[in-house]
Amino acid sequence: MKTIRFIIVVLLAQFVFHKTTAQESDQLVRMAKLVIDSTHLEAYKAFLKEEIETSLRVEPGVLTLYAVSEKERPNHITILEIYKDMNAYRYHVQTPHFLKYKNGTLHMVKSLDLIETEPLMPEVKLIQRD
Amino acid sequence: MKTIRFIIVVLLAQFVFHKTTAQESDQLVRMAKLVIDSTHLEAYKAFLKEEIETSLRVEPGVLTLYAVSEKERPNHITILEIYKDMNAYRYHVQTPHFLKYKNGTLHMVKSLDLIETEPLMPEVKLIQRD
């Protein structure tokens, strides 16, 4: 256990001091805005949750996937997506877990709007503090 | 410098092993959507950048501030904001750096829409992988 902690701490130390200049220039930062058929909202969320969990676990090129639903319009979903580069995104959209989500939810999605964005501070890694 | 690195590593180690159950229930997760007067866009971005950098540096209750601009509509800004709880938010909006941003950009902001949200997976910390 101590060894594992040590390895994680070392990795985190590297993650803190590692320069990401190259990565920034290639990153894809996008907001996916979806409107879901309310009658399928819980089923949709289950598909999305599984897809995000699997992507973050098995795809190093998926840097961030973070989904929120609006409190006043719970069937309005926004997903903040950060991919390492275009190749990471091309890989992502043909993975079995993405296709399972995509095909499994097609009939639940009333609209999908993909908004390509530029981060205000690409040099600052997105992080949620403890 | 070594001391600073050590402190950061220790903090990161705690951040990894600390359970955040209590925090999740109180968190405020919000999207601020702004439309900026294009003639003031660069000045607005400078104000926002300074405000975000200062908030993340001096306010432990500000867990995430991440701003993007749309590629097709660069004056459309979205800020993902995560506060530890309502008190952290109340504290944030009366800090000198927030008030400097707010008052300094009032004439640049054509519209501001604050969208309260629920994260799909509150138990998963938002993080951008290296």
Side-chain angles (χ1 to χ4, degrees):
Chain A
M1 187 53 191
K2 275 193 173 174
T3 318
I4 295 165
R5 287 190 182 211
F6 174 75
I7 290 164
I8 292 173
V9 167
V10 168
L11 288 174
L12 283 167
Q14 291 172 340
F15 148 128
V16 167
F17 300 110
H18 178 57
K19 298 207 185 312
T20 57
T21 316
Q23 181 195 67
E24 288 153 14
S25 57
D26 301 333
Q27 268 179 24
L28 267 66
V29 181
R30 160 193 291 170
M31 288 184 296
K33 302 190 76 68
L34 301 97
V35 180
I36 308 304
D37 177 343
S38 296
T39 62
H40 294 297
L41 185 55
E42 290 315 308
Y44 170 80
K45 284 181 170 180
F47 268 102
L48 178 58
K49 195 168 174 174
E50 181 184 351
E51 191 272 331
I52 289 178
E53 282 168 344
T54 307
S55 302
L56 292 175
R57 191 174 70 249
V58 306
E59 291 183 75
V62 175
L63 305 186
T64 298
L65 285 176
Y66 188 75
V68 298
S69 59
E70 299 181 17
K71 283 190 177 178
E72 291 187 0
R73 303 182 299 175
N75 67 321
H76 287 241
I77 307 284
T78 300
I79 309 170
L80 176 63
E81 312 177 346
I82 306 181
Y83 303 97
K84 187 174 182 180
D85 52 32
M86 181 54 80
N87 287 337
Y89 176 67
R90 291 201 190 95
Y91 178 85
H92 174 66
V93 293
Q94 52 78 53
T95 55
H97 49 276
F98 176 81
L99 294 172
K100 177 184 176 184
Y101 156 78
K102 187 70 178 178
N103 298 324
T105 58
L106 274 178
H107 64 292
M108 306 174 178
V109 176
K110 291 165 70 175
S111 71
L112 166 62
D113 188 10
L114 298 178
I115 303 167
E116 304 301 329
T117 68
E118 298 278 0
L120 178 72
M121 296 182 283
E123 74 282 3
V124 178
K125 196 183 299 296
L126 170 60
I127 192 158
Q128 176 179 338
R129 275 193 283 178
D130 202 14
Chain B
M1 188 53 191
K2 276 193 172 174
T3 316
I4 294 166
R5 288 188 181 210
F6 174 76
I7 290 166
I8 291 173
V9 167
V10 168
L11 288 174
L12 283 166
Q14 292 173 339
F15 146 130
V16 168
F17 299 111
H18 179 57
K19 298 205 187 311
T20 58
T21 316
Q23 178 196 71
E24 288 152 13
S25 56
D26 300 334
Q27 268 179 25
L28 266 67
V29 180
R30 159 193 292 171
M31 288 185 297
K33 304 191 74 68
L34 300 96
V35 179
I36 308 304
D37 177 343
S38 295
T39 63
H40 294 297
L41 185 55
E42 290 315 307
Y44 170 80
K45 284 181 169 179
F47 269 100
L48 179 58
K49 195 168 174 174
E50 182 185 350
E51 191 272 332
I52 289 178
E53 283 168 344
T54 307
S55 302
L56 291 176
R57 191 173 70 249
V58 307
E59 291 183 75
V62 175
L63 305 186
T64 299
L65 284 176
Y66 188 75
V68 298
S69 59
E70 299 181 17
K71 283 190 177 178
E72 291 188 0
R73 302 182 300 175
N75 66 321
H76 286 241
I77 307 286
T78 301
I79 310 170
L80 176 63
E81 312 177 346
I82 307 182
Y83 304 97
K84 186 173 182 181
D85 52 32
M86 181 54 78
N87 287 338
Y89 176 67
R90 291 200 191 97
Y91 178 83
H92 173 67
V93 293
Q94 52 79 51
T95 56
H97 50 277
F98 176 80
L99 293 173
K100 178 185 176 184
Y101 156 78
K102 187 69 177 179
N103 298 324
T105 58
L106 273 179
H107 64 291
M108 306 173 178
V109 176
K110 291 165 70 176
S111 70
L112 166 62
D113 188 11
L114 298 177
I115 303 169
E116 304 301 330
T117 68
E118 297 278 0
L120 178 71
M121 296 182 285
E123 73 283 3
V124 178
K125 196 183 299 294
L126 169 60
I127 193 157
Q128 176 179 338
R129 275 193 283 179
D130 203 13

